[in-house]
Amino acid sequence: MTDEFDQEPNVLDPNKWIDLYADYLFNYTISRIDDAEQAKDIVQETFLSALKAMKNYRGEASERTWLVSILKRKIIDQYRKMNSKKGKAEIRVSFYETGGKKGNWLEECVPQTWSNEAEIAFESKELGNALNNCLEALPDKYKAVFKMKTIDNVETEEICNELNITASNLWVIIHRARLQLRKCMEESWFKK
Amino acid sequence: MSNKVLINCKEASTICDKTEYKEATKWEKIKLNIHLFLCKKCSLYSEQNVIMTKIFCTHLLNHPDHIHLPGKVKDDFKAKLKEQMN
């Protein structure tokens, strides 16, 4: 997408939406919801919702930015649906809960040195696959919260409202997601 | 979170996660830094947490495969949109 579109006066033209933005919105969605069918449906719904919401468009944002803002709501809705499904393997406890070592790392969760840290500086398809596999192994709820926070920079308060959780719930989820992702990456990518 | 200056690894790791999203308070950061100075395990966690954020962000935002939707899918989209417009 070139800048030309952003510089034109901000008027909505639904007849051009599909040709101009369908690919962009689809790619935006697929990097967050990794299911092509679901992503397609979400993009479709976005266009339909946009059509209904046209009268609310104030012309401040570019057409594409405006469509993306509608798409984001749809993606969060989708995350919320995922939220109700049961998770797979789940790390629940990573610290001693009681006793003299309360609050210390459990032996199996102690961070290990990664000897090939430097190699991750460059991107590769293999790294991408490893990251995807690890994300896939997360329970849906963890995956949703981790992605919303890490990639979409959604405000903590907004996520809490959307998913009906408290801020401390959210940080517990983030921590468990990160620990599980670390463990998974330690097994598949980083060399201890 | 308590007012104590010395915190345990569990509290430290939570603050550490918050700093990845720039959501730790000044007081939390002070407590974290003192803890990191004293604790090798959490120092390592903290360093690696930065790497984790970086690789996941880079990878997920720069999706290497730019996908073009098939013409048929776009035609379907257009048809549905037209239907809605009338």
Side-chain angles (χ1 to χ4, degrees), chain A residues 23 27 112 149 156 175, chain B residues 17 21 23 48-49 67 69:
Chain A
D23 283 336
N27 283 283
Q112 304 292 315
K149 207 82 200 96
T156 298
H175 185 65
Chain B
D17 294 334
Y21 305 99
E23 290 189 37
Q48 292 173 341
N49 222 13
I67 305 158
L69 284 167

Side-chain angles (χ1 to χ4, degrees), chain B residues 23-84:
Chain B
E23 290 189 37
T25 63
K26 276 203 177 115
W27 173 231
E28 284 178 328
K29 279 190 220 159
I30 292 168
K31 292 192 288 188
L32 175 64
N33 283 324
I34 294 170
H35 184 91
L36 293 184
F37 184 71
L38 301 167
C39 176
K40 271 214 161 77
K41 292 172 192 169
C42 289
S43 297
L44 193 56
Y45 179 78
S46 169
E47 281 168 32
Q48 292 173 341
N49 222 13
V50 177
I51 297 173
M52 291 282 289
T53 305
K54 201 177 143 209
I55 53 175
F56 276 97
C57 275
T58 319
H59 169 67
L60 291 167
L61 290 177
N62 305 326
H63 219 266
D65 312 305
H66 186 85
I67 305 158
H68 290 282
L69 284 167
K72 197 194 158 298
V73 174
K74 288 186 186 171
D75 289 343
D76 282 353
F77 282 0
K78 284 178 189 169
K80 285 249 168 61
L81 204 59
K82 265 237 148 61
E83 205 176 284
Q84 216 33 241

Side-chain angles (χ1 to χ4, degrees), chain A residues 117-160:
Chain A
E117 228 173 69
E119 291 167 33
I120 60 136
F122 56 86
E123 280 180 68
S124 73
K125 201 154 179 85
E126 290 75 25
L127 173 61
N129 290 340
L131 292 168
N132 265 337
N133 289 338
C134 290
L135 267 174
E136 274 314 299
L138 283 182
D140 287 339
K141 186 177 188 174
Y142 293 10
K143 189 164 57 178
V145 174
F146 180 77
K147 282 189 174 182
M148 273 195 261
K149 207 82 200 96
T150 313
I151 300 147
D152 295 315
N153 302 315
V154 182
E155 294 290 330
T156 298
E157 204 188 326
E158 195 185 345
I159 299 177
C160 290

